[in-house]
Amino acid sequence: MSKVRVRFAPSPTGGLHLGGVRTVLFNYLFAKKHGGDFIVRIEDTDQTRFVAGAEEYIFNCLQWCGLVADESCQHGGSYGPYRQSERKAIYKQYADQLIKDGHAYYAFDTPEEIEAMRERLKTAGSHSLQYDHHIRQNMKNSLNLLPEETQKLLDAGTPYVIRIKVEPDEHIHLTDMIRGEISFDTNTVDDKVLLKADGMPTYHLAVVVDDHLMKITHAFRGEEWLPSAPIHVLLWKYLFGLDKMPQWAHLPLILKPDGNGKLSKRDGDRLGFPVYAMDWKDPITHDITKGFKELGFLPEAFNNLLAVLGWNDGTEQEVFSMEELIDKFSMERVHKGGAKFDFEKAKWFNHEWIKKLPADNYAARVADIFEAKGVEMDGLYLLKVIEMIKDRCTLLSDFYEQGIFFFKAPSTLDEAAVKPKWDEKKQLFFAELIKAFELNTSWQHDDLENGFKELAAANQLKTGELMLPFRIMLVGGKFGPSVFNIATLIGKKETISRIKKGLSVFNS
């Protein structure tokens, strides 16, 4: 049995959508599960859609997700080049072979002639505007021209494309790993362009030739590519033999939250959540489209939430590490139907992974958030802060709001939560608490808590009535972990200073 080789073949045209990253993930999981290779091949044959910086962006996204290629234009390999634009010279011979064998033809139609043809079809009320077996009989191509006429046009340098010749009244069969047996009627399939006028191949020719030359064994892509499948099956049949064709799987769509259609960037903008892995900056407009990374997601959570959009392992388990995903993943468990995207569920996954991972896994990113706001810190101190508050954080950006009081005394206090029940007895209690804390030599959680309760009892006050004022003195509001954990971490001097400030505010 040949070694499993799967590939992800993105076009460098912009941001990397959730559906694209999930395709990468499923390719990666399948390859690693079967001890195979994961290849990234850049499909940049359509130079009109090429966007500067998009290729680097794609690899940055994959790096962040931990989905590192075994072979690519960045990582090298034995089957390069890994950019289709650098393989241009390879494809012409296969297009020529198809013409020689009667499976393709030269088409000399100008864009204006094709547009005129479509207008005629519209006027005639045709349901199809495709260049198919009906239309090709009336167009300027080598099927209708005499051989010497075709050669004369070629010798004159007349622009042309090469189209596949799809025979009518046939059925093309494909076995899909997710969907089973699929059949296509060739009467609904048009004669796709294989080689463009600039000599570059279209996706249809390039993907088949490259998959063959790179010995790809499995090809996974979104279900939106199903209409192209019959062309690819025919090309495999004509060029290399169906026995050499990779096994195919067409992945279900990621749907809008309401389930009505494929999730798009516009949906994310409208509903207030990202649909790209990382921030994408348009090089022309300089507009930034937000990504999951910059919003405060962990890659572990991002991979996890994408894995279960269309797949499960047959149990109730929801949180999976990469190792568990590799071990449990199978195409048999991928659903046929689309999966609705739920941003609240996505945030739940991130919260679970923030709690699950040790603080040093993401402390550097949290530090960046604080430093961007002008807060400098000690690394070891930050780790203690993260461990103390991570159960309260859903996004990495939450660490600032939930933890800024560990680094800076609150500038304002929630007076409205304290003053209605503030009285002289409480004022005296906190004045005595300052003296008790000044005498405390251990400054440990249990000692602080016990001393606090004993002093409350001595003043005939309930501990519960004093905890809220104490918390607001330390953090500014009604949030945060145990007040005695906070006091322990910020230290004696800072704790006493904040109590004094609280007394000043509440007594005013």
Side-chain angles (χ1 to χ4, degrees):
M1 181 179 176
S2 59
K3 185 178 185 181
V4 167
R5 288 175 58 80
V6 301
R7 53 91 178 135
F8 174 58
S11 298
T13 56
L16 191 55
H17 186 276
L18 288 176
V21 185
R22 190 191 58 178
T23 299
V24 182
L25 177 63
F26 284 9
N27 275 284
Y28 181 87
L29 295 176
F30 188 88
K32 298 310 167 186
K33 167 109 177 178
H34 296 281
D37 293 328
F38 170 55
I39 298 98
V40 174
R41 186 175 69 221
I42 299 297
E43 307 221 334
D44 57 349
T45 57
D46 189 348
Q47 292 294 296
T48 62
R49 298 178 63 228
F50 176 80
V51 176
E55 179 185 307
E56 181 182 8
Y57 168 87
I58 289 168
F59 281 105
N60 287 342
C61 289
L62 301 190
Q63 182 72 35
W64 175 61
C65 292
L67 306 175
V68 180
D70 297 297
E71 299 173 26
S72 76
C73 54
Q74 289 198 352
H75 303 88
S78 303
Y79 297 90
Y82 293 92
R83 291 186 190 93
Q84 285 184 335
S85 60
E86 297 174 1
R87 301 170 64 84
K88 179 179 177 180
I90 295 173
Y91 306 109
K92 180 74 163 56
Q93 62 178 304
Y94 294 100
D96 290 342
Q97 185 64 43
L98 289 166
I99 291 177
K100 179 181 177 183
D101 294 341
H103 299 309
Y105 57 91
Y106 297 107
F108 299 96
D109 316 285
T110 65
E112 292 78 16
E113 288 168 337
I114 290 177
E115 184 59 32
M117 173 267 289
R118 289 176 175 152
E119 287 301 320
R120 289 195 300 272
L121 291 173
K122 285 181 185 178
T123 302
S126 174
H127 295 297
S128 172
L129 305 181
Q130 299 185 126
Y131 197 122
D132 59 15
H133 66 279
H134 291 298
I135 299 304
R136 68 190 180 208
Q137 300 174 31
N138 304 310
M139 301 300 289
K140 190 177 180 180
N141 57 59
S142 57
L143 298 178
N144 300 322
L145 298 169
L146 293 172
E148 54 268 28
E149 292 177 313
T150 298
Q151 191 58 52
K152 185 177 180 180
L153 289 170
L154 293 174
D155 291 343
T158 306
Y160 67 86
V161 299
I162 295 178
R163 291 180 179 271
I164 189 171
K165 182 184 177 187
V166 179
E167 301 295 345
D169 304 320
E170 294 182 0
H171 283 85
I172 300 169
H173 300 280
L174 171 70
T175 301
D176 188 280
M177 295 175 70
I178 297 171
R179 299 161 196 280
E181 294 298 319
I182 305 174
S183 179
F184 302 90
D185 182 350
T186 58
N187 290 315
T188 65
V189 181
D190 60 324
D191 292 0
K192 297 288 188 190
V193 173
L194 302 179
L195 203 71
K196 293 177 285 188
D198 62 0
M200 290 293 282
T202 62
Y203 171 78
H204 307 293
L205 179 62
V207 71
V208 170
V209 170
D210 288 343
D211 281 356
H212 171 71
L213 296 178
M214 293 183 179
K215 298 184 178 180
I216 300 301
T217 61
H218 297 78
F220 308 144
R221 58 189 185 181
E223 70 174 71
E224 62 268 30
W225 285 103
L226 264 174
S228 299
I231 296 296
H232 302 164
V233 173
L234 286 176
L235 289 174
W236 275 101
K237 177 182 176 181
Y238 296 153
L239 290 173
F240 310 117
L242 293 179
D243 59 318
K244 302 290 198 305
M245 187 170 69
Q247 293 186 60
W248 291 90
H250 289 84
L251 307 175
L253 296 176
I254 297 178
L255 303 175
K256 302 177 184 184
D258 62 8
N260 294 321
K262 180 181 176 181
L263 181 69
S264 68
K265 173 184 173 294
R266 185 176 299 172
D267 296 316
D269 293 341
R270 175 173 58 88
L271 298 171
F273 56 76
V275 296
Y276 288 168
M278 294 169 56
D279 279 5
W280 165 250
K281 183 177 182 179
D282 188 295
I284 298 175
T285 66
H286 304 295
D287 291 339
I288 295 177
T289 303
K290 284 294 183 182
F292 277 81
K293 177 186 176 184
E294 289 76 10
L295 187 63
F297 273 75
L298 294 169
E300 293 84 356
F302 188 61
N303 288 330
N304 194 160
L305 72 91
L306 287 178
V308 298
L309 276 175
W311 169 88
N312 67 67
D313 72 338
T315 72
E316 296 299 313
Q317 182 176 349
E318 292 187 282
V319 177
F320 296 90
S321 66
M322 182 61 76
E323 292 73 21
E324 289 174 314
L325 287 172
I326 291 171
D327 179 59
K328 297 186 177 187
F329 183 78
S330 71
M331 274 295 165
E332 290 75 21
R333 298 293 311 176
V334 176
H335 310 153
K336 293 180 184 178
K340 290 191 286 188
F341 179 71
D342 182 344
F343 187 54
E344 293 306 313
K345 187 68 174 182
K347 290 192 291 185
W348 177 85
F349 277 111
N350 206 55
H351 181 52
E352 292 301 305
W353 274 102
I354 283 176
K355 292 188 295 181
K356 183 180 176 73
L357 291 171
D360 58 6
N361 179 277
Y362 49 85
R365 287 187 62 193
V366 174
D368 288 342
I369 292 169
F370 277 88
E371 288 170 4
K373 295 179 181 289
V375 181
E376 299 293 331
M377 66 198 63
D378 172 76
L380 291 176
Y381 183 74
L382 176 63
L383 290 176
K384 293 177 182 178
V385 170
I386 291 174
E387 287 292 355
M388 195 174 290
I389 63 175
K390 65 181 186 178
D391 286 3
R392 302 169 181 273
C393 297
T394 298
L395 302 171
L396 293 184
S397 51
D398 293 340
F399 278 96
Y400 181 83
E401 183 178 339
Q402 292 290 335
I404 182 59
F405 60 82
F406 283 104
F407 303 92
K408 291 171 32 177
S411 57
T412 60
L413 304 181
D414 185 358
E415 299 177 50
V418 175
K419 281 193 170 182
K421 295 185 178 180
W422 185 254
D423 56 29
E424 187 176 353
K425 289 187 68 175
K426 291 176 182 175
Q427 177 186 338
L428 291 173
F429 167 83
F430 281 103
E432 290 183 36
L433 183 65
I434 291 173
K435 295 176 182 177
F437 278 176
E438 287 174 337
L439 296 173
N440 187 297
T441 55
S442 67
W443 206 253
Q444 297 298 315
H445 175 283
D446 291 349
D447 285 347
L448 296 178
E449 183 175 15
N450 291 335
F452 189 95
K453 291 179 178 178
E454 289 170 3
L455 186 60
N459 283 272
Q460 297 182 325
L461 291 168
K462 294 180 179 178
T463 303
E465 296 177 355
L466 301 166
M467 292 296 283
L468 180 61
F470 188 32
R471 174 176 298 282
I472 290 176
M473 289 173 177
L474 296 187
V475 308
K478 295 184 285 187
F479 62 93
S482 160
V483 287
F484 300 107
N485 281 335
I486 296 169
T488 301
L489 195 53
I490 65 175
K492 179 195 290 191
K493 181 179 178 180
E494 184 64 21
T495 299
I496 292 172
S497 173
R498 294 186 188 188
I499 295 172
K500 288 180 179 179
K501 179 182 177 181
L503 283 175
S504 173
V505 171
F506 299 151
N507 290 333
S508 61

